Amino acid sequence: MVSYLLYRTGQAIVLNLPIKLSYKIAAFLSDIHYIFAYQDRKAVRENLKIIFPEKTNNEIRKISVRAFRNFAKYLVDFFCFQRLDARYIKNNIRIENRHYFDEALSKGKGVVVLSAHLGNWELGGVVTAILGYQFYVVALPHKDKKVDDLFNYQRESKGMKVVPLGRAVAACLNALKENKMVGLAADRDFTEKGVIVDFFGRPSCFPKGPAAFALKTGAAIVPAFMLRNEDDSFVLKIERPLEFIPSGKKDNDLVGIVRKYKVIFEDYIRRYPDQWYMFRRFWIT
């Protein structure tokens, strides 16, 4: 109940203030949170140190502070979804390589839109839906049902279809067979049945769902990332569909596909480390 009231209060404040002022307040509050959230701060710094072993502690601290601030802005954007429309997209979001979506859909086997907990993946999904695509997204249910309902309402009010993690397999397969798009944040495994691959030089567990869906249905895997610019506008970067020829050996193919897109994740996280929101120790110990 406390979490729900906090989210509703935050939403009410954001919707009654100019967006730039909301960002400033969010950044101020995130700086306070950074001081007191020892475990989150420690986890972010440890993750960054693995990605950038050559950087000094001061450089790591500056990146981690920006990560906290950007995540606070991410929440502001999430609360503002009801303001989103085609005009907002035209004025604030640049879309790169939209033709990759259309070319993948033209094959009639659906599209797995692959992203990470980077930038604003929620905004990316909503924008994709507003652009007219039939877009399904898999979401981990919040333990507080009221918070879960609030979050799902924010997503579905703009046309996205939310699939709870526990019922994701059947729903995603059906959507892909109907030539729809399924969005997955694939840099964190919640099932404990993932694929172990090398990530920034250390073993990490990645979900095998995206690869399994593609192998099962023939759907294209198209990486895409909604990234924040310095002026708080956005760019939706859509990458070329992954190229992969299955060998027929399922386990090998799963690992092979995961290895292909984890390289893309590494590249984006290196370029936008202050937009990777991983507030827990990421790597296997």
Side-chain angles (χ1 to χ4, degrees):
M1 178 61 75
V2 174
S3 295
Y4 174 75
L5 291 175
L6 286 173
Y7 282 125
R8 292 293 296 191
T9 301
Q11 183 182 39
I13 293 172
V14 166
L15 290 176
N16 285 282
L17 291 176
I19 188 69
K20 296 296 185 183
L21 179 56
S22 295
Y23 282 153
K24 289 181 179 180
I25 294 172
F28 172 75
L29 293 175
S30 77
D31 287 348
I32 296 175
H33 178 64
Y34 182 84
I35 294 171
F36 293 101
Y38 171 77
Q39 292 296 336
D40 290 353
R41 184 176 73 242
K42 183 172 183 287
V44 170
R45 287 186 176 185
E46 289 178 352
N47 290 339
L48 289 170
K49 198 63 180 176
I50 291 173
I51 299 169
F52 301 110
E54 76 284 359
K55 291 190 180 296
T56 66
N57 289 335
N58 188 49
E59 289 173 320
I60 293 295
R61 182 190 64 80
K62 289 180 178 179
I63 297 173
S64 61
V65 168
R66 293 200 304 271
F68 274 70
R69 291 176 179 173
N70 283 331
F71 184 71
K73 291 181 178 181
Y74 156 90
L75 290 175
V76 170
D77 297 325
F78 186 77
F79 291 144
C80 287
F81 275 1
Q82 60 187 267
R83 293 179 180 172
L84 290 180
D85 54 22
R87 182 179 178 182
Y88 176 89
I89 294 173
K90 181 179 179 181
N91 293 334
N92 296 278
I93 300 172
R94 187 175 81 256
I95 300 173
E96 295 183 356
N97 301 321
R98 180 178 173 179
H99 65 281
Y100 287 143
F101 280 169
D102 298 328
E103 291 170 3
L105 285 170
S106 70
K107 297 180 180 179
K109 295 184 177 181
V111 177
V112 176
V113 181
L114 198 67
S115 197
H117 293 89
L118 182 79
N120 196 325
W121 61 97
E122 298 271 12
L123 179 62
V126 169
V127 167
T128 301
I130 292 175
L131 291 174
Y133 297 98
Q134 297 184 75
F135 194 77
Y136 287 67
V137 61
V138 176
L140 181 69
H142 196 282
K143 60 184 178 180
D144 185 326
K145 188 177 184 306
K146 285 192 173 183
V147 173
D148 193 52
D149 290 343
L150 172 64
F151 276 40
N152 288 340
Y153 173 79
Q154 289 290 97
R155 296 161 177 146
E156 294 188 330
S157 65
K158 292 300 176 180
M160 276 202 311
K161 303 294 183 183
V162 178
V163 180
L165 183 63
R167 301 198 300 271
V169 174
C172 289
L173 288 175
N174 288 335
L176 293 172
K177 289 175 182 177
E178 295 172 1
N179 200 30
K180 298 175 181 177
M181 304 174 79
V182 172
L184 300 169
D187 58 338
R188 182 176 176 184
D189 178 61
F190 293 98
T191 67
E192 299 182 354
K193 299 178 182 178
V195 175
I196 306 298
V197 294
D198 179 272
F199 192 59
F200 289 105
R202 298 195 182 191
S204 180
C205 187
F206 275 68
K208 60 184 179 182
F213 290 146
L215 290 172
K216 181 75 173 178
T217 66
I221 297 179
V222 181
F225 306 90
M226 180 69 82
L227 300 163
R228 184 181 299 278
N229 298 318
E230 288 291 332
D231 62 356
D232 289 322
S233 63
F234 293 90
V235 55
L236 176 58
K237 291 181 175 288
I238 304 169
E239 294 288 333
R240 186 186 305 274
L242 293 188
E243 295 182 1
F244 187 82
I245 300 176
S247 68
K249 297 179 180 179
K250 182 179 178 181
D251 289 343
N252 290 344
D253 289 340
L254 286 172
V255 174
I257 292 174
V258 172
R259 283 176 175 164
K260 277 186 171 292
Y261 65 70
K262 72 93 180 180
V263 172
I264 297 172
F265 286 178
E266 287 174 330
D267 176 54
Y268 270 87
I269 291 169
R270 280 194 186 97
R271 285 191 281 159
Y272 306 96
D274 57 353
Q275 295 191 49
W276 190 43
Y277 309 129
M278 195 58 60
F279 298 101
R280 67 172 186 89
R281 292 188 65 180
F282 184 77
W283 281 267
I284 297 171
T285 58

